Amino acid sequence: MEGVGAGLLEALAGYEVTLYRAPYTAFFDASDPASISLQRRAFDRGYAYVGADVDPRDWSDPDAARIAARMIEGVRGGGRVVVLHDGGGDRRSTVEAVRLAVPRLRAEGYRFVALHDYAGLPRPAMTPRLRAREALADLGAGAHAATLSTGGRV
């Protein structure tokens, strides 16, 4: 994320954006120069890559039971980070899949933790709060640029 989009998101959330996930659960191999070069723009801007190794394809299948089954299968197969989607339409099936999968996985001894806990970092290290002055400046710049890019229709 860069430019106006990052500034606007940060201003609205009140936190600095420091993490990103490449689209399509792209795999990042730190030993592969080609893989590094694809991520270089994000790295150069200070973003840390967050991967996901379980994709239950909630974006393509609206059946909660099948989404949950794929989540459980992926975690049992060694997956540690599940990617779920909250955009692109009705996500009630995704929410229901989580309600189905989490209790089953907990019963098998799996634990669920926030990303900062998984990384062994305090939350502010991963998502530092913006200072009020920065947030207002970013929000003003983002709103101005959004107005310009949409011809005044925001």
Side-chain angles (χ1 to χ4, degrees), residues 39-109:
Q39 311 301 329
R40 176 134 239 113
R41 287 181 70 188
F43 295 154
D44 288 347
R45 287 167 176 76
Y47 294 104
Y49 177 83
V50 176
D53 53 6
V54 177
D55 182 0
R57 298 187 321 272
D58 61 316
W59 48 268
S60 70
D61 181 356
D63 185 87
R66 286 193 298 265
I67 295 168
R70 287 191 294 266
M71 287 172 59
I72 293 166
E73 179 184 335
V75 171
R76 285 178 180 161
R80 295 293 173 253
V81 179
V82 179
V83 61
L84 296 168
H85 301 81
D86 63 355
D90 184 356
R91 290 290 164 223
R92 284 180 283 196
S93 293
T94 297
V95 172
E96 182 59 23
V98 171
R99 288 185 181 131
L100 294 170
V102 168
R104 288 179 57 192
L105 290 167
R106 278 193 173 135
E108 293 178 22

Side-chain angles (χ1 to χ4, degrees), residues 130-153:
L130 286 180
R131 294 191 312 264
R133 180 178 297 243
E134 289 174 326
L136 288 172
D138 285 347
L139 185 57
H144 177 69
T147 300
L148 290 176
S149 69
T150 62
R153 297 175 306 279

